[in-house]
């Protein structure tokens, strides 16, 4: 009966697609993906600004080297440029923070020299490194990364920068506030005070200098979808409720009964032996009470609540000519009044724009023209989503003019992402919040019914980036989680021929 099992996958992001691919390649032939929207790829989404390709969602392959399954697939489908595939690129190990050539501007319209920013940047990088080490040591002197960085930075700068002129010291501290805001974007959180110190080091980096897809990240999705049967996905079909544990009896015309029934908003239903749920953690947080019937066990509810899922948005802007240096990779804006290490703004509606730490320059220029990508995380980012695009453009134009001291700079056009207002995501990606640990991720990934129940096993399984202990928040983490749940089913039906580690 194994290979005839009816398997429904909820969500056609990379974890759902990966699960389907693996199940089909092992002979399961009754596999269906149900997707709420009209497209595949979920948070991998390539858009356009004018005639240029831009990534609305995932941007880079983090750690593009052989251990990274997304890198391997991208090479296999020939989607990367030659430089990204070189041995040299694969062996660079930057611990998740690639180096960049910066242009620094301050709120009084001054250009800051990189030398001036050097000590702040070195201290900040060192402190983050220390934060990562607490996971292995099991010690947690304060609950969050933000509190640790702020406490230690204040202590050490008071000692080490004692002899610096006051204005230099103030600028260094303001620079550290900007770096905290950058870190909020990387972690996808409102403030680093929400990110758990002991859990921060759970996230593992892979070697390789982050690379992009010249033709767009979605090219990877198209290649993967081509390998699946043509009509495997039911699009525009949001799932409303997964009835499991025989809570709704369902018998097929052949007389077979199924323990699970997937009910969609449209009223359509899909009977199943197994369902793999890949919806984002943001969606789970919002709909945990109604997505399953009987509802999720309390242990899962608590882990879903404990784990963090925040917003990180991009704002693309195109210019007729650059106001940055030709070799510049990142533009930073340092607010001179932010000398007390802050990563949130006091009044979101009045000053949300202060949360935008700066821009990355899209390269190569031959492909993108003069295009920048601004980054903004947290509640300020969620508020930005609610504003008309013209107002966002106006605010950023004023910001750039103020920091560069050039009142004529005018962007040609703008495009921003709105991940918080996406009803099937409700944010960008997972972070390990204060008070959560790997056990929460284990609990989230645990199939239903829970161990010890004497009903049919593996009725509802859970995949998606939030269920990966080491690589949450990434595309490779999501893909590995989809494979993991497919392998769980494969080894359930053929335990001897398929022994795999279901670790991450
Ligand atoms: C990466 C990167 N990157 C930027 C931004 C975002 C993300 N990520 P999906 O959501 O894809 O699929 C679920 C589907 O389910 C979806 O299609 C829904 O429509 C559907 N669904 C929902 N409800 C449903 C229902 N009821 N019925 C039916 N269907 C339903 N990752 O590797 N490189 O550069 C970035 C970035 C703006 C938003 C990213 C990046 C995250 C990935 O995009 C994401 O993990 C995967 O695509 C998720 O796939 P999935 O299948 O799980 O879900 C120390 C430390 C710190 C830790 N953080 C380190 C930082 C690393 C992350 N950096 C990210 C940065 C960027 C810029």
């Amino acid at each position: 009966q194994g290979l005839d099992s009816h398997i429904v996958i909820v969500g056609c992001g990379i974890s759902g697609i990966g699960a389907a691919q693996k199940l089909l390649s092992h002979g399961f032939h009754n596999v269906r993906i149900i997707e709420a929207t009209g497209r595949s790829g979920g948070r991998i989404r390539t858009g356009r600004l004018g005639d240029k390709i831009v990534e609305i969602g995932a941007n880079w392959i983090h750690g593009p080297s052989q251990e990274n399954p997304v890198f391997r697939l991208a090479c296999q489908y020939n989607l990367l440029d030659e430089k990204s595939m070189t041995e040299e690129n694969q062996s660079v190990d930057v611990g998740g923070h690639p180096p960049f050539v910066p242009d620094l501007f301050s709120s009084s319209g001054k250009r800051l020299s990189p030398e001036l920013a050097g000590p702040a940047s070195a201290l900040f990088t060192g402190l983050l490194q220390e934060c990562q080490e607490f996971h292995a040591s099991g010690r947690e002197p304060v609950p969050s990364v933000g509190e640790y960085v702020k406490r230690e930075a204040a202590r050490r700068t008071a000692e080490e920068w004692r002899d610096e002129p006051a204005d230099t010291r103030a600028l260094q501290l303001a620079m550290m506030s900007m770096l905290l805001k950058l870190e909020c974007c990387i972690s996808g959180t409102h403030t680093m005070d929400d990110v758990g110190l002991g859990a921060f080091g759970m996230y593992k980096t892979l070697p390789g200098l982050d690379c992009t897809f010249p033709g767009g990240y979605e090219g990877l999705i198209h290649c993967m979808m081509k390998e699946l049967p043509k009509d495997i996905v039911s699009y525009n079909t949001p799932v409303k409720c997964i009835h499991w544990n025989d809570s709704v009896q369902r018998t097929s015309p052949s007389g077979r009964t199924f323990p699970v029934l997937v009910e969609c908003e449209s009223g359509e239903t899909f009977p199943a032996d197994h369902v793999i749920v890949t919806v984002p953690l943001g969606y789970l947080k919002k709909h945990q009470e109604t997505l399953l019937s009987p509802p999720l066990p309390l242990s899962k509810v608590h882990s879903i609540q404990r784990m963090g899922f925040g917003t990180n948005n991009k704002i693309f802007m195109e210019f007729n000519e650059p106001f940055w240096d030709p070799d510049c990779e990142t533009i930073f804006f340092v607010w001179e009044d932010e000398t007390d290490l802050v990563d949130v703004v006091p009044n979101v509606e009045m000053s949300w724009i202060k949360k935008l730490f700066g821009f990355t320059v899209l390269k190569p220029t031959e492909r993108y023209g003069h295009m920048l990508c601004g980054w903004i995380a947290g509640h300020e980012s969620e508020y930005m989503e609610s504003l008309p695009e013209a107002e966002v453009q106006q605010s950023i134009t004023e910001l750039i003019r103020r920091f560069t001291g050039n009142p004529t700079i005018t962007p040609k056009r703008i495009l921003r992402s709105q991940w918080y207002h996406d009803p099937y995501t409700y944010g960008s990606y997972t972070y390990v919040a204060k008070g959560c640990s790997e056990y929460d991720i284990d609990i989230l990934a645990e199939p239903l019914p829970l161990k010890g129940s004497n009903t049919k096993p593996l009725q509802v399984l859970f995949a998606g980036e939030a269920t990966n202990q080491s690589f949450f928040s990434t595309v490779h983490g999501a893909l590995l989680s989809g494979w993991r749940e497919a392998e769980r089913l494969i080894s359930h039906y053929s335990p001897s021929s398929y022994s795999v580690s279901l670790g991450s």
Side-chain angles (χ1 to χ4, degrees):
Q1 192 239 332
L3 295 179
D4 291 334
S5 298
H6 285 225
I7 303 172
V8 168
I9 298 168
V10 182
C12 196
I14 196 157
S15 60
I17 300 168
Q21 249 187 357
K22 193 156 283 263
L23 288 165
L24 289 159
S25 69
H26 279 81
F28 289 86
H29 50 94
N30 287 316
V31 178
R32 168 138 301 275
I33 304 178
I34 306 183
E35 167 57 43
T37 68
R39 55 178 287 278
S40 307
R43 282 170 276 170
I44 295 175
R45 184 163 155 204
T46 305
R48 280 188 176 275
L49 181 55
D51 57 351
K52 314 281 177 357
I53 277 177
V54 290
E55 302 294 0
I56 311 291
N59 220 76
W60 295 280
I61 303 182
H62 288 307
S65 50
Q66 290 308 319
E67 226 187 298
N68 187 326
V70 173
F71 176 70
R72 290 201 306 271
L73 274 182
C75 291
Q76 197 181 306
Y77 295 131
N78 203 14
L79 297 173
L80 301 179
D81 62 23
E82 269 173 35
K83 185 176 165 281
S84 310
M85 292 192 286
T86 56
E87 287 294 329
E88 195 193 344
N89 199 79
Q90 290 182 52
S91 58
V92 182
D93 202 343
V94 290
H97 284 78
F100 38 72
V101 178
D103 271 8
L104 289 146
F105 296 95
S106 80
S107 46
S108 60
K110 283 200 280 282
R111 191 75 185 253
L112 307 178
S113 78
E115 292 71 48
L116 186 103
S121 176
L123 175 58
F124 191 82
T125 310
L127 288 174
L128 276 190
Q129 181 71 38
E130 288 172 29
C131 289
Q132 266 151 3
E133 285 158 13
F134 285 115
H135 182 244
S137 75
R139 243 167 31 83
E140 199 182 45
V142 287
S144 74
V145 172
E147 286 158 275
Y148 183 78
V149 169
K150 289 171 195 174
R151 188 189 76 178
E152 286 305 302
R155 193 175 63 78
R156 293 182 209 186
T157 53
E159 275 170 27
E160 290 163 26
W161 299 349
R162 213 176 23 232
D163 301 328
E164 296 275 349
D167 54 345
T168 310
R169 207 165 119 185
L171 218 44
Q172 305 264 15
L173 288 167
M175 166 93 187
M176 290 186 73
S177 293
M178 183 275 292
L179 291 171
L180 268 176
K181 291 184 253 176
L182 159 68
E183 208 50 41
C184 289
C185 290
I186 295 174
S187 281
T189 184
H190 174 55
T191 160
M192 292 309 286
D193 291 3
D194 289 344
V195 178
L197 182 58
F200 190 57
M202 275 166 61
Y203 179 78
K204 301 273 176 304
T205 56
L206 296 171
L209 196 57
D210 291 1
C211 67
T212 56
F213 289 76
Y217 225 128
E218 237 182 90
L220 174 67
I221 297 296
H222 295 150
C223 290
M224 292 176 81
M225 289 305 293
K226 270 196 201 138
E227 294 182 1
L228 298 181
K230 222 167 164 286
D231 298 322
I232 192 172
V233 188
S234 301
Y235 290 107
N236 299 309
T237 311
V239 167
K240 183 177 175 193
C241 184
I242 300 162
H243 303 272
W244 60 291
N245 245 358
D246 296 310
S247 52
V248 173
Q249 270 301 329
R250 176 73 191 210
T251 312
S252 74
S254 63
R256 260 192 71 190
T257 56
F258 296 90
V260 191
L261 185 74
V262 179
E263 179 196 353
C264 301
E265 295 283 357
S266 59
E268 212 175 339
T269 55
F270 297 85
D273 296 292
H274 310 284
V275 175
I276 304 179
V277 177
T278 75
V279 302
L281 177 62
Y283 185 91
L284 271 182
K285 279 180 180 280
K286 190 105 176 167
H287 296 282
Q288 62 188 11
E289 284 175 14
T290 52
L291 187 63
L292 273 91
S293 170
L296 286 163
L298 270 185
S299 55
K300 270 194 191 275
V301 170
H302 290 153
S303 290
I304 289 169
Q305 287 167 346
R306 261 196 300 270
M307 281 170 54
F309 194 81
T311 304
N312 178 22
N313 274 309
K314 305 180 186 183
I315 306 172
F316 294 98
M317 300 190 104
E318 204 184 1
F319 297 84
N320 282 326
E321 47 195 59
F323 62 84
W324 53 93
D325 291 341
D327 62 342
C328 166
E329 291 167 322
T330 313
I331 298 168
F332 291 118
F333 288 158
V334 180
W335 288 87
E336 286 168 14
D337 59 341
E338 290 183 342
T339 54
D340 45 357
L341 298 176
V342 283
D343 59 5
V344 293
V345 308
N347 180 332
V348 172
E349 289 176 26
M350 296 288 291
S351 45
W352 63 271
I353 193 80
K354 288 184 88 175
K355 188 66 170 268
L356 185 137
F357 76 81
F359 297 91
T360 45
V361 182
L362 269 58
K363 304 244 171 157
T365 310
E366 307 82 66
R367 187 180 310 144
Y368 294 106
H370 307 300
M371 177 107 74
L372 299 180
C373 174
W375 298 86
I376 178 164
H379 302 328
E380 297 85 345
S381 187
E382 291 158 9
Y383 178 72
M384 176 282 294
E385 287 186 24
S386 69
L387 298 173
E389 201 163 74
E391 196 175 327
V392 174
Q393 173 158 351
Q394 181 61 28
S395 299
I396 301 193
T397 305
E398 281 165 19
L399 179 87
I400 294 173
R401 289 177 177 177
R402 170 176 179 169
F403 276 72
T404 56
N406 179 344
T408 63
I409 294 175
T410 308
K412 256 198 335 198
R413 49 188 154 212
I414 167 178
L415 177 74
R416 41 84 195 260
S417 61
Q418 290 171 296
W419 286 104
Y420 182 66
H421 284 83
D422 182 320
Y424 300 108
T425 310
Y426 290 111
S428 301
Y429 40 88
T430 301
Y431 66 90
V432 279
K434 218 157 56 172
C436 77
S437 70
E438 49 263 81
Y439 299 111
D440 290 304
I441 296 193
D442 274 352
I443 288 170
L444 196 64
E446 205 178 346
L448 296 175
L450 298 177
K451 281 194 196 89
S453 158
N454 54 8
T455 52
K456 271 197 181 162
L458 305 184
Q459 292 178 40
V460 189
L461 302 94
F462 295 85
E465 53 87 13
T467 68
N468 190 306
Q469 261 195 26
S470 310
F471 304 123
F472 53 87
S473 75
T474 66
V475 173
H476 53 285
L479 178 60
L480 286 169
S481 75
W483 285 353
R484 179 195 66 212
E485 294 312 310
E487 282 162 357
R488 203 191 287 279
L489 287 174
I490 294 162
S491 64
H492 173 69
Y493 285 110
S494 50
S496 53
S497 64
Y498 209 93
S499 75
V500 286
S501 154
L502 295 173
S504 58

